[in-house]
Amino acid sequence: MKRKLIITEDGSHSYYLPEMEETYHSIHGAITESEHVFIKNGLAVISKQNINVFEIGFGSGLNALLCYAYALRNSVEIDYQGIEKYPLQTKEYNNLNYPQQLDFGNAQEVFENMHHLSWDKRQHVSSFFSLHKIQADALKFKFPEDWADLVLFDAFGPEKQSEIWKREMMEKMFRLCKRAGVLVTYSAKGQLRRDLKNCGFSIEKLPGPPGKREMSRAIKP
């Protein structure tokens, strides 16, 4: 995939994919969007000391880094899995400015380590954060069941990658979640919410990040 580095409105980087006419993050702020959707309305509502997180679309590694920063601030342990079909190349993730923007302790070292770690193997980033990056097609992958406390559904938008937003995938997400497990996504499409509800989730429609009116949170009863 050809990727073009861009600067979003909050000063943080993202990538633009010309062939898809799609960006990895909101142009209104990559960090701002991820913090709002996946941390404030996702990770921060999980009241546990040991949290299993599964991300659909590891991408730039921003969500993993934000979850690491949250774990560091709040003294929780996170077991993180992320699936990605097309990983960034070394020169591509080295260009990203997230560690400088977040500026916690050894952010640069942690971010580089996350990307340098081998794929398809669970490894420790620190004493409180483990990472298992899975290089695979999410549509064909056999997900674990009753594993995730939190699912970060951060695939490319329904208009660009419609197959990954269909009910069949939402059924897999329902099985992936533990009881009281949470799924959060930036999308608030009516069909998505109906599919999540029909799979068994209870649905919350929440205020979205800058540039987006609403987002969705689903909870497994």
Side-chain angles (χ1 to χ4, degrees):
M1 275 193 179
K2 184 177 181 181
R3 303 176 178 95
K4 179 182 177 182
L5 189 71
I6 62 171
I7 301 176
T8 63
E9 289 182 8
D10 65 3
S12 58
H13 287 156
S14 186
Y15 275 107
Y16 172 70
L17 303 175
E19 64 184 77
M20 290 181 69
E21 298 183 341
E22 179 74 310
T23 58
Y24 271 63
H25 310 93
S26 169
I27 60 172
H28 299 283
I31 289 178
T32 300
E33 176 192 42
S34 290
E35 281 274 13
H36 179 88
V37 176
F38 301 115
I39 305 302
K40 177 184 175 183
N41 289 299
L43 188 55
V45 305
I46 308 295
S47 56
K48 299 176 67 174
Q49 289 302 112
N50 297 277
I51 304 172
N52 291 349
V53 178
F54 201 108
E55 180 183 11
I56 307 298
F58 184 79
S60 67
L62 174 57
N63 292 333
L65 186 64
L66 289 172
C67 286
Y68 182 96
Y70 179 91
L72 182 64
R73 291 193 308 269
N74 294 278
S75 300
V76 298
E77 294 185 12
I78 292 180
D79 191 348
Y80 198 101
Q81 294 191 39
I83 188 168
E84 176 61 51
K85 188 176 181 180
Y86 301 109
L88 296 186
Q89 301 300 307
T90 303
K91 64 180 181 180
E92 292 175 319
Y93 60 71
N94 280 343
N95 285 334
L96 295 169
N97 67 354
Y98 305 141
Q100 294 77 32
Q101 294 285 310
L102 297 175
D103 194 28
F104 66 85
N106 59 341
Q108 185 67 46
E109 178 184 347
V110 169
F111 187 63
E112 290 177 2
N113 190 23
M114 285 179 169
H115 281 286
H116 289 165
L117 289 175
S118 300
W119 287 80
D120 303 310
K121 182 180 179 181
R122 183 178 181 272
Q123 296 165 90
H124 286 282
V125 178
S126 72
S127 60
F128 59 86
F129 196 99
S130 65
L131 176 62
H132 184 180
K133 299 184 297 180
I134 303 162
Q135 186 174 0
D137 184 340
L139 293 172
K140 300 176 182 178
F141 182 69
K142 184 174 174 58
F143 291 92
E145 296 190 7
D146 299 315
W147 184 86
D149 298 297
L150 175 65
V151 173
L152 312 180
F153 205 90
D154 199 19
F156 291 126
E159 299 85 357
K160 307 296 182 179
Q161 204 175 23
S162 61
E163 64 277 6
I164 206 166
W165 296 86
K166 290 182 177 179
R167 177 169 173 168
E168 291 80 3
M169 180 60 72
M170 299 309 123
E171 290 172 345
K172 293 178 181 179
M173 296 300 98
F174 186 81
R175 293 193 295 269
L176 170 61
C177 287
K178 295 179 181 179
R179 290 182 181 179
V182 174
L183 179 149
V184 281
T185 181
Y186 59 84
S187 178
K189 294 284 186 181
Q191 186 60 55
L192 170 66
R193 294 200 304 271
R194 287 190 292 273
D195 287 342
L196 287 166
K197 184 176 181 180
N198 289 334
C199 290
F201 286 106
S202 59
I203 310 301
E204 295 177 295
K205 192 160 55 174
L206 304 171
K212 195 162 182 62
R213 190 164 60 90
E214 296 172 337
M215 59 163 284
S216 301
R217 181 165 64 203
I219 302 172
K220 183 174 181 176

